[in-house]
Amino acid sequence: MRRLILTIILTSLFCVQAHSQEEELLLENVLNLKPTQAVVGMKSVKVKTRMFEGTSRSDRHLYLQENPVPVIKGPNQELYMIDHHHMSRSLYDSDHRKLYVEVVRDWSGMS
């Protein structure tokens, strides 16, 4: 398991995300995502939280569709987020639990 997490972290450093209109986005609960970053800067989180709280529901929905959280699907279909940790935490802090994710690698068959 340690090796898988290390591989996910290293891949996230080199993974280039190319988002297009045809890619399928999944709506996921933020609590179902596994972070690959141990800490986040709370100043950045607070700034993003204020940004989200100051937007309408429809604007927030559009922003989240255009900026999906890149994830790697691991064993047991668990989703490991490789970016947007600050945004995810700020959504959690502002009681917005759903966000869009985009699977950039499917490693669910590895175990």
Side-chain angles (χ1 to χ4, degrees):
M1 186 61 150
R2 221 180 229 178
R3 175 181 264 177
L4 174 65
I5 291 173
L6 179 60
T7 303
I8 289 171
I9 292 170
L10 291 174
T11 299
S12 71
L13 295 174
F14 301 104
C15 185
V16 176
Q17 178 185 358
H19 180 66
S20 73
Q21 295 286 340
E22 291 104 31
E23 292 173 342
E24 181 183 2
L25 300 179
L26 307 173
L27 191 59
E28 191 63 52
N29 189 312
V30 69
L31 297 175
N32 293 339
L33 303 179
K34 309 286 187 216
T36 58
Q37 183 174 318
V39 297
V40 293
M42 290 309 291
K43 284 185 179 182
S44 293
V45 169
K46 288 180 182 181
V47 167
K48 287 187 180 286
T49 301
R50 283 193 298 272
M51 179 191 79
F52 284 122
E53 289 174 345
T55 60
S56 69
R57 184 176 181 86
S58 61
D59 286 345
R60 184 171 47 231
H61 182 78
L62 182 60
Y63 178 84
L64 295 174
Q65 276 185 315
E66 292 174 350
N67 298 281
V69 175
V71 297
I72 293 176
K73 190 182 290 188
N76 301 320
Q77 305 299 311
E78 292 185 316
L79 301 174
Y80 293 85
M81 73 173 109
I82 58 173
D83 199 5
H84 299 317
H85 292 80
H86 292 88
M87 179 181 79
S88 301
R89 175 59 193 262
S90 68
L91 289 166
Y92 176 81
D93 288 349
S94 61
D95 291 326
H96 187 97
R97 299 293 192 258
K98 297 283 185 172
L99 47 74
Y100 288 93
V101 299
E102 179 179 12
V103 178
V104 295
R105 297 284 189 275
D106 185 350
W107 293 345
S108 57
M110 300 173 71
S111 55

